[in-house]
Amino acid sequence: MSELSHKDWIGKASAIRFRDKAFIDGKMVAARSGRTFASVNPATGEVLAEVASCGEEDIDLAVAAARRSFNTGVWSRTSSAHRKEVLLRLAQLLRENLHELALLESLDMGKLVRDAAAVDVPGSAAIFQWYGEAIDKIYGEVAPTGEGDLVLVRREPLGVVGAVVPWNFPLDMATWKCAPALAAGNSVVLKPAEQSPLSALLLAELAMEAGLPAGVLNVVPGLGETAGQALGRHMDVDCLAFTGSTAVGKMFLQYSGQSNMKQVWLETGGKSPNLIFADCGDLDAAADMAAFGIFFNQGEVCSANSRLLVQRGIKDALVEKLVQRAAVTQPGDPLDPASKMGAMVDSRQAANVMRFVEAGKKTARLVAGGDLVTVNGRGSFVQPTIFDDVAPADPIARDEIFGPVLSVIAFDDEADAIRIANDSPYGLAASLWTDSLSRAHRIAGRLHAGTVSVNTVDALSPMTPFGGFKQSGFGRDLSLHALDKYTALKTTWIKY
């Protein structure tokens, strides 16, 4: 990708076309009620588009379209080689539309367009490609039964998959759900977050262009309490995959019990610890990655390393390095490639982050940031913020803030570090820094987290499963294991 200037991005943004309708059964359609909601650029406060606000009737239409497409077999019973071909074409179309998709991500939720163009869009394309390449390499089984019996065990698609995704990585999170679900042969009804629906609507358009049949991927923008609840309660949805808050994840579990007992797969909250031991030989690298782990994407990352546990003897030196990094990671115009941080997704989220910051000023030592700021007099931006001398029981060290707020906690030894790290209702991710291979294995085995990154932070790949323990949810995104969520095992027993 050629490097675009600030002026280039502004020019491209001025020419962009926003899709503002639902995508149901291969067509862009208004909500049946005629209602809309505003999609707002959080960096400027400007309304980008008035987007169709889907309700129960629209969800019914989308689920019916998905069910028809599944039952006809136009996608569910086509060959894995054909599904592979379509998903590979979709991956290529994502790459060809990189600038438009990156702009939609940035304008809609405030992230740096540079990051969207370098990470989010290429990452989504890579995941569609990975599942396309993988699906024709998944084999069934022959069970070792007795003479005269042949028992076949096959994976079959579930049917209609509902996917409800968050606003922090709009395209990526839609991809994490849709790519394996579609690769397995399901039809999908996708509800993007109301704060960031625009890239999902373009994704549906590109999927049709790639050859996905009408009705196989439907996108229903709308509010959580209307469209999200209707999808969660729907009697003809076979599986619901959700990424978002723990509180809303619990609601989807209730919706399942109140309806058809649909499978529910959750990736919810996190408060990931980053443990740095005194035998870490490169404190500069640890400081670089600790800053990245909390300030990337404005801290709006479910697995953000928001708790920094540092062995007492090196804490002050490390905090000094982090303060220096925070000073040069200030918010700026998301369309400016020179900016280091973007805007919070909306004013409500910014206000919520600042409530934690103001409370933290009374209980811990603020060493960096701590203010709500504007850029060019507009928008909702929070400075990179660091609190030192944080008590492990302090709300800023226990609650998911979902902003660029780091809590530094000192520990004395391994047992102390493990105790503090695991004292959390969440178990999504963790990081640790040490030059001892034995300690790395020993600590990783004791941390209650779905992913433990050693001498880095928040490591992930399409090849490795991502998900958590405890109230961070269950089930795994990414890797071949994600296919377990969207398929069922069928046994065929033949006597001969």
Side-chain angles (χ1 to χ4, degrees):
M1 180 192 74
S2 59
E3 188 67 33
L4 298 182
S5 68
H6 190 192
K7 182 179 179 181
D8 293 333
W9 283 117
I10 291 173
K12 286 181 176 292
S14 67
I16 203 166
R17 175 173 71 90
F18 299 112
R19 287 122 183 112
D20 58 5
K21 293 181 171 58
F23 193 88
I24 297 175
D25 206 12
K27 298 182 288 292
M28 290 285 185
V29 296
R32 296 296 288 244
S33 67
R35 294 191 180 95
T36 62
F37 62 88
S39 176
V40 177
N41 180 347
T44 65
E46 296 173 347
V47 175
L48 301 170
E50 292 288 342
V51 181
S53 186
C54 293
E56 187 172 350
E57 189 175 2
D58 306 289
I59 297 297
D60 286 344
L61 291 171
V63 172
R67 179 61 64 190
R68 282 195 304 273
S69 69
F70 183 79
N71 287 344
T72 63
V74 66
W75 182 252
S76 58
R77 292 197 294 275
T78 192
S79 69
S80 57
H82 175 66
R83 296 200 298 273
K84 169 183 177 177
E85 182 182 353
V86 171
L87 294 183
L88 292 182
R89 280 204 298 268
L90 177 54
Q92 184 57 32
L93 286 171
L94 291 175
R95 296 184 177 106
E96 291 172 7
N97 290 270
L98 183 147
H99 291 157
E100 183 175 4
L101 286 163
L103 278 167
L104 291 176
E105 297 288 271
S106 178
L107 295 172
D108 215 8
M109 66 76 55
K111 70 169 64 220
L112 297 178
V113 72
R114 181 193 66 216
D115 288 345
V119 179
D120 298 47
V121 181
S124 291
I127 289 169
F128 273 110
Q129 178 176 335
W130 195 85
Y131 280 104
E133 293 283 6
I135 199 61
D136 63 355
K137 300 168 183 68
I138 304 296
Y139 292 86
E141 304 169 10
V142 177
T145 52
E147 184 69 23
D149 294 316
L150 176 62
V151 179
L152 309 176
V153 182
R154 299 177 57 196
R155 286 199 172 275
E156 295 194 351
L158 292 174
V160 176
V161 172
V164 180
V165 297
W167 44 257
N168 57 335
F169 292 93
L171 181 63
D172 265 348
M173 292 297 99
T175 297
W176 284 25
K177 310 303 184 190
C178 291
L182 292 172
N186 297 284
S187 293
V188 176
V189 179
L190 170 66
K191 194 206 89 67
E194 54 265 35
Q195 296 89 341
S196 57
L198 300 178
S199 59
L201 292 167
L202 178 53
L203 173 65
E205 207 173 86
L206 295 177
M208 285 282 291
E209 184 180 340
L212 199 70
V216 175
L217 175 59
N218 308 273
V219 179
V220 283
L223 307 184
E225 57 266 30
T226 51
Q229 182 176 169
L231 194 57
R233 291 181 183 274
H234 205 285
M235 295 294 292
D236 202 29
V237 171
D238 300 294
C239 169
L240 193 292
F242 171 75
T243 293
S245 72
T246 298
V248 176
K250 291 178 179 180
M251 293 171 69
F252 278 110
L253 289 173
Q254 293 178 40
Y255 298 156
S256 173
Q258 292 161 359
S259 56
N260 61 340
M261 293 178 60
K262 61 179 64 64
Q263 296 182 34
V264 176
W265 299 103
L266 303 175
E267 192 262 279
T268 49
K271 192 70 178 177
S272 300
N274 182 8
L275 288 63
I276 302 182
F277 287 87
D279 66 354
C280 170
D282 192 344
L283 275 190
D284 283 316
D288 286 340
M289 294 305 291
F292 172 83
I294 185 59
F295 301 144
F296 174 69
N297 207 53
Q298 302 75 247
E300 296 168 324
V301 182
C302 55
S303 52
N305 283 218
S306 54
R307 289 188 293 153
L308 184 63
L309 280 55
V310 189
Q311 198 152 20
R312 200 173 301 277
I314 62 168
K315 181 180 75 68
D316 290 346
L318 185 66
V319 168
E320 182 180 348
K321 293 178 184 293
L322 283 166
V323 170
Q324 294 169 0
R325 284 152 177 80
V328 296
T329 312
Q330 295 301 309
D333 182 351
L335 297 186
D336 186 348
S339 295
K340 304 302 182 184
M341 271 181 52
M344 305 305 294
V345 69
D346 58 22
S347 58
R348 185 171 66 175
Q349 178 62 16
N352 185 59
V353 171
M354 290 307 300
R355 279 194 291 272
F356 280 101
V357 171
E358 294 305 320
K361 290 177 181 178
K362 300 173 183 177
T363 59
R365 185 167 66 92
L366 179 69
V367 295
D371 289 326
L372 181 68
V373 297
T374 61
V375 172
N376 299 321
R378 301 187 295 178
S380 299
F381 299 81
V382 174
Q383 290 181 318
T385 298
I386 303 172
F387 287 101
D388 193 9
D389 301 328
V390 179
D394 192 314
I396 62 172
R398 293 193 64 80
D399 297 340
E400 186 176 37
I401 299 173
F402 227 63
V405 181
L406 181 65
S407 295
V408 181
I409 304 168
F411 68 84
D412 294 311
D413 53 28
E414 282 189 16
D416 197 26
I418 293 167
R419 176 185 59 78
I420 296 170
N422 287 337
D423 183 18
S424 170
Y426 302 113
L428 185 57
S431 301
L432 71 98
W433 293 76
T434 176
D435 283 359
S436 166
L437 181 61
S438 296
R439 171 173 279 159
H441 282 294
R442 188 165 59 243
I443 302 294
R446 298 283 303 280
L447 293 174
H448 298 160
T451 298
V452 178
S453 303
V454 179
N455 293 339
T456 186
V457 300
D458 211 13
L460 60 83
S461 158
M463 296 174 283
T464 56
F466 181 89
F469 302 155
K470 299 189 281 187
Q471 291 191 53
S472 289
F474 45 84
R476 294 295 182 264
D477 287 314
L478 304 179
S479 81
L480 294 179
H481 296 284
L483 295 171
D484 295 340
K485 300 191 298 188
Y486 305 117
T487 56
L489 295 177
K490 174 178 280 186
T491 299
T492 303
W493 193 303
I494 303 169
K495 296 196 74 70
Y496 64 91

